[in-house]
Structure formats: C-alpha cells, structure tokens
Amino acid sequence: MTNGWIDIKNTDMMLIMGGNPAENHPCGFKWAMEAKRNRNAKLISVDPRFTRTSATADLFVQIRAGTDIAFLGGLIRYAIENNRIAKEYLVNYTNAAFIVKEGFKLPEDGLYSGFNAASSSYDKSTWNYEEGGDFSGKTDAAATSVHAAPAPPASAAAGKANHQPTPTPPPALPPNVAYDLTLQHPRCVFQLMKQQYSRYTPEAVERITGIPKDQYLKAVDLFTSVRKDGDMKKVATIIYAVGWTQHTFGTQIIRTAAMIQLLLGNVGRAGGGVNALRGHSNIQGATDMAGLYDSLPGYLKGPVPDDADLATYLKRTTPTASKPSPWNSMNYYSNTPKFVVSLLKSMYGDAATKENGFAFDYLPKPGQDCSWTHIWDDMYNEKIKGMLAFGMNGVMIGPDTNKNINALKKADWLVVGEIYEDETSEFWRAPGITAEEQKNIKTTVYRLPCAGFAEKDGSMTNSARWVTWKYAAVPPPGQARLDQDIIAQIFLRVRDLYKKDGGKFPDPILNLNWAYADAEHPPLSQVAMELNGRALADLKDDATGQVIKAGQQLPGFAWLKDDGTTICGNWIYSGMWTEAGSQIQRRGTEDPSGMGVFPNWAWSWPANRRVLYNRASCNPAGKPWDPDRKQIWWNEAAGKWVGNDVPDFKPDSNPKDHMGPFIMNPEGIGRLFAPIGVLADGPFPEHYEPIESPIKNPFHPDQSNNPLVKKFKTPFDKFGSPEEYSIVCTTYRLTEQYHYWTKNNPMNVQLIPEPFVEIPVELADEKGIRGTDKIKVISARGTYIAKAFVTRRLKPMMIDGKKVYQIGLPIHQGFRGIGEDEGRNARTPANLLTPAVTDPNAHTPESKGFLVKVEKA
Amino acid sequence: MSQASTEIVRISGHAGVVPGAGLNREFQVCKLVDTTTCIGCKACEVACLEWNGYTFSETTFDNSYQTMPETAWNYWNLIKFNEHERADGTMMLLMRKDQCMHCADPGCLAACPADAAIVQYANGIVDFQEANCIGCGYCMTGCPFNIPKFDPPSRKVFKCTLCNDRVSVGLEPACIKACPTGCLHFGTKSEMKELAETRAEQLRTNSGFQDAGVYDPAGVGGTHVIYVLHDAKNPELYGGLPKDPRIPWSVRMWKGPLKWIGNFGIIFGVVGVFIHYLRFGPKVVKEDEQESHGGSQ
C-alpha cells in the first residue's frame, strides 16, 4: 500500500475493485467501516459477484471478470471530460506536461509503436520523452499527429527463444525533458492520455464490461465527485487485491488505478493512495526480501547475463535524473550502487572486495524467465530435477493443477516442508491416478515437519509496510524444526560437500557469509540486524558531524556506502534495528495526530514513513491541500518539512526548488505515461481480453489479447473456444477458510463444510439445476465437481450484444482434508480449471476470467 | 448464581419471594448489533463456541453461507444470510446475528413451570439454570424468536447467556470482543439505544435507507439485544426476525387467566364436593333401583 490500513479511516471515498476485503481482510476492513461511520465516506464495490464487501457498499457495480482496464480507462476519460482533476497537482507532480518523442504510436490497433512480431516483444525507444526545453504555449508544428510511422525496430537479438527478450541497455531517459505546462502540446503526456482513453466511452465500456451505461456513469460520477469544481479537500482511495493481479494484464490494471489517483491528486494524501491488500500474512515481507527471481532485496533489479560485471550492472540499473530543467529530482535510486554494494558485503563478507567487484560474479544471472509457471513447465520438460517446497502447495496453487501434478511425476525428487500432508506432498495420490500408475512414479518425496505459524517467532510485514515482530506461542511439536534451522542445516551440509568434492564454481557457496552465533540455528534477531545494516569502518556525516563507529548498527539507508564500508541485507529495511534496539518490536499506542499514524508502533519501511509520497499532500508552496488532515508541511522558519509523519522527501528541500514528490522515480514525478525501462507491454494501459474470452476485443478484434502473452506447449496447456465454453469463470476466497490448509481444521470446516459453485438463478433454471445439486464445471484443462450455490448475486450480462453468464468458485477444498478424507466431497481442486498464462511484467497467472461450461453431475 | 441473590428479579415457576423483585437497576446491559456494518465473518459464532467450551459440529452446505439452519443447543449464535433485491433492483445481502434477545418480558420465563430453571437478572440478562430444567420444552413455545434449543441426550434446553459469566466480572461478551469491524457494541441500554438511533439517523440521511431504524420490540417489553436495520419496517427479511414479537397468546393464557381458572376450578370443585356431601350425604344405592337396572322383565 502507498498508505496503510488504519489510514483508510481518513478517507471520503473508497473504490474497492478486484478485491473483497470484508471477506479476505476482515480485520483491516474495520477501517473502511470507521470511515463510513465517522466521516460518511462512500464505498463503491465493483466485482463480478455481489460479495460481503458489496453488502456494505453504497454502490455496487457488477463487472465482467477481466475488463477492469475498460472500466478504469473510461473513468479517466470521464474525469478529464468533466474537469474533475487536480490541475495544480497534475501539472507539478506528474509527467502530464512532458512531451513524448515523435514516432510514438498509441495502440488503436492493439499494438504500440515498436512491436516485433517475431520475438513478441517491443522495441521501446519511442516510448520516451523528447529532449528539449520549455514548449509551454507553443505547439510543435512539425508533428501534430501522434500516428507517425513507428521508428524502425532496433536490432533485436536472436536466439533467446521463448523466454525474456535480450536486455540490451535501453535508450536512456533524456536528462533535459521537453515540456508544456499548458498541457496543450499534442504530444504532451496529458494530451496523449486523453487521446488514448477517448475510445473508452460509456458505450464502449458497456459493450466490454457489461455494465449498463447509466449505472456506469453513476459509479464514475460518484468516485470523481471528490474533485468536483476542483475542490482539493476531499480524498479518495483505491483498494484492490488479486482480483486485479491475476490477469494477463494485471500490472496494467493497477497502472490505470495509479494514473487515476495521480489525475485526481490522491497519492500522498491521508485516506488516499493506491492500496494493495496483500493475500498472505507475510507476502509483503516475502516480496520485500526478493522472493521473486528477477529482483534483489529491496526491489533492486536482478542481474542478467549481459551484466558482465558490477560496473555494467550498476550502469544499467542506476537511473539518472530526467526532468524539465528548472525542476529538481532527488532520484533516490541514484544511490543504487550503495544499496547493491552493501547487499553484496552482507552476503559475501570479506570475500567481497573492491577488486573483485564485491563478488558480483557470485550472483546468479538468470538468462530466462524463471517465474512460477516456468518452473512447472521446466519441470515437466525435465529441465528441473527437483524442488524444495516450503509452506506452499504448488499442486493446489496451479494454475492448471494437472500440469503441475504431471510435472512432479517427472521430477527426481521433491522436498516438502509443511505442517501436515498437503496435496503437493501427496501428489501421487491425486484422484485419477491408478495404483498401476503410482508404481511407475519414480519421484522421491521427502517430508520435513516444520513449525506452524504459532510455533515460531520472527518478523512479519503487513500490507501497510509495517514491519512487526511476532512471538512463538508454543514450541514446535515432536521433530518439527524451524524453517531457518532447516535451511541453515541443508546449506551447511551442501557447503561441506562442496568443500570435500569441489565443483564447477563453488565459490558463492563456500564464501557465503554465515557468521551467526549458532550456524545451525541462526538467531533471527541476528538476521534482522544484518538486514538493517552496520558499519564496517568508522563513518562520518560531514554535514552534521555525526559519527557511526565500526560495528555499530546503522540508523538508516542514508548511511549506506558503495565503497565496502557498510553492510546491509535490505536497504528498505535499514532503520528497523538500530543501536537503540529493535524498532519493529515497539508497541507505542500514541497517535497524536489522530490520523492513525502510530509512529511508535512497529516500524514501517522506508524510514518509518507511514504514508508514501506525503510531500504531495501539500501544494507546490508547501501548504496542506486539506488543513484538517495535515500530514507534513513546510516550515519556513526552521527551513525543513515537519509534521505528523516522517517526510518521504528531502527534509530541507525548499518548495521554491520544485523538487518532485516522487523521489523514487528519476523524473521526480508520478508517471501517467510509463516510459522505457518500466513496463513490458505499454506506457499506457490498454484493454485486452483475457486469453479465454467470450468475445473478440471490440477495440481491435485482430489483437484481442496482450501481444506479449505466451502459451506453453505441453499437452496440458489447452485452451477452450467460446463456442464450447461459453461461461466466464472466476475464483476467489472466503472469510471462513484460508487458502488450502484450513480444510484440515474442524472449526473452519464447520463454517464452510463443502466446496460449492456460485451460479446465477437464470443459468440454474436453464439447466434444471437446483441449489445443492452436484454439478460439474469443465474447462479445456480439467473438471471441478461441487454443489451448486444458486444465487441472485451473480446476474447474467450483455457483453457486446451477447448474453454471457459468469460463475464463481472458492479455491479452498482439494483432495486432502477433513471433508476430503471422509469422502464428503469430490476431491477436485479449483485450479484444475485455470490456464497457465501470465502477466508479462509480474508473471502472475490468469486465475480469474477464463472459460468453462457447466453440467449436472 | 444463588437464588437468594438480590441480582435476580424474576424466577420461573417460583412460588414465594423473589429476592430482587422490584429492584430498579439504574443500568441494564445491552448488546447492539449493527446489521449495516456486519460482514458475516462468523468470528462471533466461533468466539461463542470457544468461550462456552463447545466442540465443532458436522454441518452441510445448504445453498447459503449460513453455517446451519437455526441456532442449536450447542450453537447459540448464528449469522443468518438473506439475499434481497430492493424495489429499484439493487441487491442486498442481509446478515443478521441471531441469538437470544434477552427480553425485558421473557416468554421463556413466563412459560417455564420449573422453579428457577430460568431467572432474570436485574441487569436484564435472562439465564437458563440447567440444573433445574425439567426438559418440558415450554420455554420453546414461549419464545417468539425460536431461540431455546433442546438437547435430547441431556434433556435440557440451552441458549445464549449474554456471557453472564464474563459480564459479571466486568468483561464484554465474547462475541463483542471477537467482532473485527466493530459492528457489535456493548454498554448500558440507554447508551446503546442512543448509539443505535444516531446510526439509524445517519443511514436515513446519508446512505439512502429511508426506513432504517432500531429494532427494540415493545411487545416483549423491549430487549437487551437491539438491532440497527437498513429496513426496520420489514424485519422478517433478516432471517425471519418477527415484526411484532409477543409472548404467545397460548402461554399468556396458560400462565395467566387459565391458571387462576384452573386453580379456582380445583378449589371450588373440592369445596363444592364437600358442600354437596354435607347437604346430600354419600351416594346411596336403593334396592329397587338396582333391580330396575337389571335385566328387563
């Protein structure tokens, strides 16, 4: 989240879309109810189903799964058309005024300029700003059309087959950007954005999403009402979860929301922002620590084979400022070398020296897509021989469960670290596998009993970026071990084998820093201190005279160096465990501003800033847009920014210097247009249909889908036609169950005893299905069998003139659990149905919005 | 709690002094359930089970998120789910926490013939004392909310206690503590009534629910569990919440006039027989009557 959970209580308007927090985040949802009760805040719920969140909404709008960009793009158009925008914010804090290069082409035909059909990738050189100066008031006579022929594609390297396009260093952003503060230049971002979404009329939105025009206008009118007549006092927030991420264009859906919030001036404001509700207790911690193959801790870019050495890598990944020349940009990622070197020092200790590029060569440099669906595809194709699966149930997660099961059949070995026998550790007993076939499965499965969540302590980072500490309630039972002990013990034995037997390149393993008090049981407090960082030599801040002695914990990331004198396992966590002790274990309940900041409760990254980009909560002169919700403000006398939150900004930057609030972007501004180096599939989001869709894309039927999405080629990667599979299906979670393991807990099973499928009354009548009848939901990949839940909360929709039904099913039941073991359900995991196609930026599978048919069982 | 306690103001089936009768407690407790902010998460259902030490039951899916059709002897608190389409076509999913209403004039207590099987405390809580329960089931007839539930093996009836054991030591009921959205509130009746009315007014003014209101039915003397409803004119939409609940006519007759008619009937019957005996003496059977009652001649 850019903001936080408690901060939601400060809002005036909530758009909850692609998310169902009442059911999946009931405790956090309290704050949405507080906003309603105490501020008369309005809640708009947009969802394929009327959920328990919708039950509390002021306005519910049913939408076809996978058409969110159409909805949001239409909202942008409506806001611009009705002048419900934050003009001053827009001009000064976003790239609305930046002029885009000639040759850039909008995707009226579904493709941006620079598309290379052979490699299914883009040459993004035209997705860039123009070099120049102040064009305010002038129009570019030479190129008034934005449909100029696309620049000839740069030589795309051959040979990297079906994985990542070659990462040649992209053309850089120009240091001196051309701009037009009147926003009139035909190639300024604002005009391009306006043109891009001019196609997203209410009629087009109705055709695509199925939302009747008058209903749609009601929703966009309500949401944008916070900026009616240019009023800046009110704030709106956008709240979402995996209803947005689980699509082949998920990243772009979220981008559209970010653009709306910038257009309306809601980013950086209390009760505003773009707020992702994370789906697991510590998934925020996992992504912060780079549980993704293409990043390093702290969201640093992962190295690739073309990064021949540290210098090359740093050159590629360290941005230089790019802005209108009179403006200022802090460009905080210009400190990337300090973050990277400090990370390398923490990993490789004394083996990382200036001479050897701080052991940069030790880091793996994946030359292909190693994301989730590729792992299973590679395992099926016998390129991956074994897997360590810790606290995750790959068989149940899918997508395309049958593919994952068949991949495991081919693996040599599987290690499952879990607290009970889950479907992955029992994959060979999946329904449909005969005793004969079981005999032929050669995979060796090791089951390691692990500690459950109440049996281990450690850090947890919530959606609001608050890093906290939790304590074990009971010790792990029997022979169960803590996760860090298991990992440590495997590592130490592997290291010993390399010491004894040698290997191709054992250096990264032999030289990995493992200086914990107890190597086989690393204390997590020591790990946390390592993540915070400490000085390896005496450090002095020349400006303040402050000295940090060698061996001391660092106060924060401002102290990180690129010369090897600091270590830091994760720069965004620097500050969480200082010389003053563990900041994440603090439990101070004071909230002096009353805005839910709680500065002394736990510690939020970065630097305990609770609302990101909070400089944008003030106008260019440094005064809060809303005096009743003051966050930070410029204090002229003191010469610095002060207030109720830590400024997410250079503390002494005078507003006169026009430093941009978005300090993590090289431009210093929030991006309406995402230039080269940011996204794979376009600087503006464009509506694409889900890979399995009932219709062709009305905007460009010949390019219905995201052009960068690739399909795998195993026998399990099948796709269905809308003629045979005419029903749109979505998947979701319930309050009463948590993913795939609470089906082992009597309490949860009592509340939701059996799997079901929510189907519209009209569909049930058509097929002669009554509530609780057993039915089959069938996709091109598999069959899910459960009882029908006939409901009025899912209505049929008219999609591009066609009557389309949507159904939904919860994911919680599988083939192992209390009900499953008693034979009380059909033992079919929901992800038997889903397709293994993913978003090209985040690689999240399209688990929502695929096609099925329904039959009586 | 001992029956001699002055905290008890009413006792079922009791002949004799009620120690706390007439006691006018300044503060009565009240649980406020705001159905407009309930998210149907069932934390309250689980908290109730866990506090009262009941194990989990086997349930079946019945075309609803609702855990089971009605409360049970070992499941005192149940969210009822009802889909409802308003006149303008907008959808609602009504979620109402169903449990004992702790009526000021409890029908269960009125109907119960067993001495002190049901007591009412000065703070408004109506509690079953199972040790004294004879398992007749009359309380189930007396309750207009269909709350008390019978357990055949033990032959006792059970219901929500408003966490009397927690309230009596200054804690809030378990359901209140567990509710994540703050839709459940606990306090004095007057405080909760005021909170409820304020919320209802807010709904009428700001949320477009013109018929929003507070459910505190006078027919049972008011209740110590009150609801804020989006549509107070149609409480039946909320899983059959009765519109105008009263102690059933049959119970009121049975425990009221019929009892006295019965009593008088017995007394006058005995008196009448005695007077008749005094006046007419014992029945004498005459010989000729006996003969004439024999066979025909």
Side-chain angles (χ1 to χ4, degrees):
Chain A
M1 289 166 136
T2 57
N3 293 47
W5 280 115
I6 307 179
D7 176 75
I8 293 174
K9 71 169 184 166
N10 298 317
T11 194
D12 301 299
M13 180 72 61
M14 298 169 265
L15 172 62
I16 301 182
M17 197 169 163
N20 183 2
E23 298 198 45
N24 298 307
H25 301 87
C27 296
F29 192 66
K30 156 174 50 240
W31 302 111
M33 294 296 95
E34 287 287 290
K36 285 196 77 167
R37 268 197 290 259
N38 299 325
R39 299 185 60 88
N40 285 321
K42 295 282 179 273
L43 197 165
I44 305 171
S45 163
V46 182
D47 201 294
R49 312 176 295 139
F50 186 97
T51 63
R52 283 177 267 193
T53 300
S54 316
T56 65
D58 294 280
L59 180 63
F60 166 72
V61 177
Q62 182 175 309
I63 190 172
R64 171 165 69 101
T67 61
D68 305 74
I69 293 178
F71 182 105
L72 297 169
L75 206 169
I76 292 177
R77 181 183 177 278
Y78 183 90
I80 295 176
E81 195 136 293
N82 292 280
N83 202 30
R84 288 179 175 189
I85 60 180
K87 189 69 185 297
E88 216 184 340
Y89 184 114
L90 189 67
V91 171
N92 289 288
Y93 300 159
T94 75
N95 59 3
F98 291 22
I99 295 172
V100 171
K101 261 176 138 58
E102 268 235 56
F104 172 73
K105 164 183 141 343
L106 288 170
E108 271 101 355
D109 63 353
L111 296 171
Y112 282 96
S113 40
F115 185 66
N116 182 325
S119 61
S120 279
S121 65
Y122 278 108
D123 170 344
K124 304 176 194 133
S125 29
T126 57
W127 304 3
N128 201 351
Y129 308 122
E130 185 143 304
E131 189 99 46
D134 189 351
F135 284 81
S136 304
K138 309 173 198 163
T139 55
D140 186 353
T144 49
S145 161
V146 297
H147 303 301
S155 53
K160 299 285 168 145
N162 61 333
H163 298 292
Q164 290 279 51
T166 310
T168 47
L173 303 180
N176 182 22
V177 173
Y179 62 102
D180 172 11
L181 297 175
T182 69
L183 307 187
Q184 294 307 307
H185 191 290
R187 273 185 292 113
C188 79
V189 165
F190 182 74
Q191 291 298 334
L192 289 173
M193 184 174 72
K194 191 170 168 193
Q195 183 162 0
Q196 162 72 353
Y197 296 109
S198 61
R199 291 172 286 137
Y200 292 63
T201 61
E203 292 77 18
V205 172
E206 176 166 0
R207 255 180 101 185
I208 294 170
T209 64
I211 301 169
K213 187 172 135 173
D214 57 315
Q215 245 209 320
Y216 176 70
L217 287 171
K218 213 166 157 203
V220 295
D221 173 59
L222 180 58
F223 185 74
T224 59
S225 66
V226 297
R227 284 295 156 261
K228 205 161 171 200
D229 304 324
D231 170 51
M232 282 301 287
K233 279 198 72 175
K234 289 196 163 173
V235 185
T237 180
I238 295 186
I239 294 170
Y240 72 94
V242 297
W244 270 3
T245 64
Q246 289 178 350
H247 295 282
T248 48
F249 36 79
T251 311
Q252 294 285 9
I253 299 178
I254 296 151
R255 270 276 302 143
T256 336
M259 289 159 68
I260 289 169
Q261 291 298 70
L262 288 171
L263 191 60
L264 266 50
N266 285 317
V267 185
R269 302 209 35 199
V274 182
N275 296 298
L277 308 184
R278 308 305 305 259
H280 298 249
S281 326
N282 194 24
I283 192 145
Q284 184 67 50
T287 52
D288 292 346
M289 286 306 299
L292 303 164
Y293 82 97
D294 53 358
S295 65
L296 292 175
Y299 302 103
L300 299 171
K301 292 195 177 21
V304 294
D306 274 6
D307 295 322
D309 53 23
L310 179 66
T312 312
Y313 163 79
L314 288 176
K315 183 148 197 299
R316 176 174 72 84
T317 61
T318 306
T320 49
S322 167
K323 59 184 180 60
S325 58
W327 291 7
N328 253 298
S329 172
M330 196 177 186
N331 184 25
Y332 207 72
Y333 269 122
S334 56
N335 293 299
T336 294
K338 300 175 186 167
F339 308 150
V340 174
V341 171
S342 302
L343 168 66
L344 290 169
K345 284 298 287 184
S346 82
M347 288 181 73
Y348 300 112
D350 293 335
T353 65
K354 199 159 177 187
E355 291 66 38
N356 68 9
F358 296 104
F360 176 75
D361 292 345
Y362 291 177
L363 289 179
K365 297 168 184 65
Q368 60 160 86
D369 189 331
C370 301
S371 63
W372 177 256
T373 53
H374 283 265
I375 291 172
W376 296 97
D377 193 66
D378 282 350
M379 191 190 291
Y380 183 84
N381 291 316
E382 299 181 58
K383 294 189 208 153
I384 287 182
K385 302 294 186 189
M387 169 185 271
L388 291 134
F390 271 83
M392 67 86 171
N393 193 341
V395 162
M396 286 294 287
I397 291 169
D400 202 349
T401 290
N402 265 329
K403 181 175 177 181
N404 295 4
I405 290 174
N406 282 279
L408 285 171
K409 286 181 195 170
K410 294 190 176 191
D412 291 346
W413 53 268
L414 168 69
V415 177
V416 179
E418 253 297 353
I419 59 175
Y420 67 101
E421 297 93 334
D422 69 346
E423 283 79 359
T424 299
S425 69
E426 296 259 304
F427 75 88
W428 70 91
R429 290 202 206 143
I433 299 182
T434 61
E436 187 60 39
E437 203 190 337
Q438 278 182 11
K439 288 205 204 93
N440 293 325
I441 297 174
K442 302 283 182 280
T443 321
T444 310
V445 178
Y446 303 88
R447 296 192 201 167
L448 304 181
C450 290
F453 68 89
E455 299 159 358
K456 45 191 179 185
D457 44 15
S459 69
M460 295 274 264
T461 308
N462 70 5
S463 299
R465 295 167 284 102
W466 291 19
V467 189
T468 65
W469 192 265
K470 74 171 180 69
Y471 301 90
V474 290
Q479 295 176 41
R481 291 187 207 184
L482 298 171
D483 301 331
Q484 63 268 26
D485 293 357
I486 294 175
I487 291 169
Q489 287 156 25
I490 292 176
F491 163 72
L492 292 169
R493 283 155 183 73
V494 168
R495 188 174 70 178
D496 284 346
L497 283 172
Y498 273 109
K499 275 189 190 147
K500 196 162 63 80
D501 300 342
K504 209 164 185 180
F505 182 50
D507 304 47
I509 293 158
L510 298 175
N511 291 318
L512 187 67
N513 177 30
W514 205 259
Y516 300 111
D518 181 344
E520 300 233 337
H521 309 277
L524 292 181
S525 52
Q526 272 202 289
V527 177
M529 290 173 74
E530 196 176 61
L531 296 181
N532 178 86
R534 67 173 179 276
L536 297 178
D538 288 357
L539 308 171
K540 179 153 178 244
D541 179 344
D542 292 316
T544 62
Q546 190 184 355
V547 170
I548 309 280
K549 298 207 97 34
Q552 286 192 319
Q553 292 292 106
L554 297 175
F557 45 73
W559 285 87
L560 295 177
K561 305 266 178 273
D562 62 1
D563 59 8
T565 53
T566 55
I567 69 157
C568 177
N570 187 336
W571 76 273
I572 60 175
Y573 280 14
S574 189
M576 73 161 178
W577 206 297
T578 62
E579 280 299 307
S582 162
Q583 304 304 300
I584 63 187
Q585 285 162 315
R586 299 183 306 162
R587 293 291 180 266
T589 54
E590 317 81 59
D591 185 32
S593 69
M595 297 208 305
V597 175
F598 293 99
N600 301 317
W601 180 285
W603 181 90
S604 75
W605 68 259
N608 206 27
R609 297 165 189 171
R610 304 283 164 145
V611 175
L612 293 180
Y613 317 116
N614 52 24
R615 187 260 175 270
S617 68
C618 297
N619 64 15
K623 288 177 60 159
W625 298 109
D626 179 12
D628 293 329
R629 277 173 291 194
K630 286 162 71 156
Q631 298 161 247
I632 63 168
W633 55 89
W634 173 251
N635 182 318
E636 185 67 46
K640 58 183 184 160
W641 292 86
V642 298
N644 296 311
D645 190 6
V646 176
D648 186 23
F649 199 58
K650 188 161 184 291
D652 58 1
S653 174
N654 194 310
K656 287 201 308 273
D657 297 333
H658 208 288
M659 177 178 277
F662 293 87
I663 60 174
M664 300 313 294
N665 287 339
E667 308 98 310
I669 45 76
R671 292 157 165 161
L672 297 166
F673 175 94
I676 33 134
V678 181
L679 292 167
D681 45 3
F684 289 130
E686 170 70 6
H687 168 68
Y688 291 115
E689 287 288 325
I691 297 302
E692 283 185 343
S693 163
I695 60 164
K696 289 242 170 277
N697 192 326
F699 283 147
H700 26 76
D702 292 336
Q703 186 60 52
S704 238
N705 308 122
N706 187 331
L708 300 192
V709 173
K710 301 191 175 77
K711 294 177 179 175
F712 293 111
K713 296 186 174 40
T714 73
F716 298 94
D717 292 296
K718 294 207 195 68
F719 294 86
S721 68
E723 289 72 39
E724 195 186 346
Y725 303 94
S726 61
I727 297 174
V728 174
C729 187
T730 187
T731 55
Y732 55 88
R733 293 177 272 191
L734 300 167
T735 318
E736 298 90 337
Q737 297 267 8
Y738 184 65
H739 295 150
Y740 310 115
W741 62 270
T742 54
K743 57 176 157 44
N744 294 287
N745 187 18
M747 182 269 278
N748 306 85
V749 174
Q750 172 191 249
L751 298 179
I752 294 284
E754 302 174 73
F756 52 79
V757 185
E758 295 192 356
I759 68 174
V761 169
E762 295 84 352
L763 176 63
D765 286 346
E766 239 177 60
K767 300 220 171 252
I769 294 170
R770 285 194 322 230
T772 75
D773 281 354
K774 212 156 145 195
I775 62 172
K776 288 189 200 172
V777 179
I778 304 167
S779 80
R781 295 159 290 280
T783 300
Y784 174 82
I785 301 172
K787 290 186 178 170
F789 185 163
V790 178
T791 175
R792 288 178 287 169
R793 291 175 294 107
L794 273 153
K795 303 229 181 292
M797 306 189 84
M798 292 304 290
I799 308 297
D800 202 16
K802 226 167 106 161
K803 179 172 170 195
V804 174
Y805 288 118
Q806 286 191 110
I807 67 171
L809 42 111
I811 61 170
H812 303 292
Q813 284 87 358
F815 57 85
R816 247 248 66 242
I818 290 174
E820 289 78 353
D821 297 345
E822 287 171 4
R824 292 188 64 208
N825 61 49
R827 305 175 68 220
T828 52
N831 278 304
L832 285 169
L833 301 172
T834 49
V837 281
T838 61
D839 175 275
N841 295 293
H843 315 291
T844 310
E846 192 154 69
S847 313
K848 300 181 193 319
F850 52 90
L851 293 179
V852 296
K853 58 185 173 187
V854 167
E855 288 169 11
K856 282 170 106 152
Chain B
M1 199 184 267
S2 155
Q3 287 163 50
S5 166
T6 52
E7 290 306 312
I8 295 181
V9 296
R10 238 192 277 201
I11 303 177
S12 67
H14 190 69
V17 172
V18 175
L23 182 72
N24 226 347
R25 253 315 187 134
E26 197 190 342
F27 296 122
Q28 305 231 305
V29 298
C30 182
K31 180 197 303 183
L32 164 56
V33 180
D34 182 359
T35 61
T36 68
T37 52
C38 174
I39 55 174
C41 74
K42 306 181 189 173
C44 56
E45 292 184 13
V46 177
C48 179
L49 279 188
E50 295 196 328
W51 178 256
N52 293 294
Y54 286 117
T55 54
F56 305 114
S57 321
E58 189 175 283
T59 53
T60 43
F61 169 70
D62 196 13
N63 210 59
S64 169
Y65 290 133
Q66 196 164 311
T67 308
M68 53 183 73
E70 291 294 334
T71 55
W73 73 268
N74 58 353
Y75 210 91
W76 299 346
N77 166 21
L78 178 70
I79 306 280
K80 292 201 160 167
F81 291 82
N82 289 91
E83 295 180 9
H84 171 64
E85 265 171 286
R86 295 167 87 184
D88 64 0
T90 57
M91 192 72 218
M92 292 183 83
L93 178 58
L94 305 175
M95 297 174 282
R96 175 182 70 87
K97 174 175 160 6
D98 186 37
Q99 77 286 276
C100 174
M101 300 294 284
H102 295 274
C103 307
D105 191 10
C108 57
L109 196 155
C112 174
D115 192 348
I118 306 180
V119 298
Q120 182 183 46
Y121 292 105
N123 67 3
I125 291 179
V126 178
D127 204 4
F128 284 6
Q129 308 201 120
E130 275 81 12
N132 303 322
C133 172
I134 60 174
C136 68
Y138 285 11
C139 54
M140 293 156 70
T141 313
C143 175
F145 299 99
N146 188 29
I147 285 299
K149 294 294 186 308
F150 186 72
D151 171 42
S154 64
R155 296 199 62 77
K156 305 281 184 188
V157 188
F158 298 85
K159 71 169 187 67
C160 157
T161 63
L162 231 180
C163 275
N164 189 33
D165 49 352
R166 291 176 60 93
V167 173
S168 58
V169 293
L171 296 174
E172 78 279 64
C175 54
I176 310 283
K177 188 175 171 77
C179 177
T181 54
C183 109
L184 299 180
H185 305 261
F186 187 71
T188 67
K189 179 82 190 268
S190 47
E191 278 172 2
M192 293 299 99
K193 204 64 200 287
E194 199 188 321
L195 194 58
E197 294 292 358
T198 308
R199 177 67 184 142
E201 174 62 28
Q202 183 185 28
L203 289 163
R204 290 188 292 264
T205 320
N206 284 291
S207 302
F209 290 112
Q210 295 105 322
D211 296 330
V214 182
Y215 183 89
D216 178 22
V220 288
T223 50
H224 294 89
V225 175
I226 62 176
Y227 291 108
V228 171
L229 304 176
H230 320 74
D231 184 354
K233 293 215 170 97
N234 295 292
E236 307 87 2
L237 295 172
Y238 296 80
L241 186 61
K243 184 155 180 148
D244 184 20
R246 291 169 184 279
I247 299 176
W249 177 91
S250 57
V251 170
R252 281 190 284 123
M253 294 310 296
W254 183 253
K255 286 309 187 83
L258 238 52
K259 190 157 75 167
W260 291 107
I261 290 170
N263 286 341
F264 283 128
I266 293 170
I267 292 165
F268 284 128
V270 170
V271 166
V273 164
F274 186 65
I275 290 170
H276 189 277
Y277 184 81
L278 291 178
R279 172 75 179 76
F280 296 108
K283 167 112 178 126
V284 174
V285 179
K286 296 203 177 93
E287 279 202 32
D288 54 352
E289 275 181 359
Q290 220 171 10
E291 276 173 24
S292 75
H293 279 118
S296 58
Q297 190 67 315

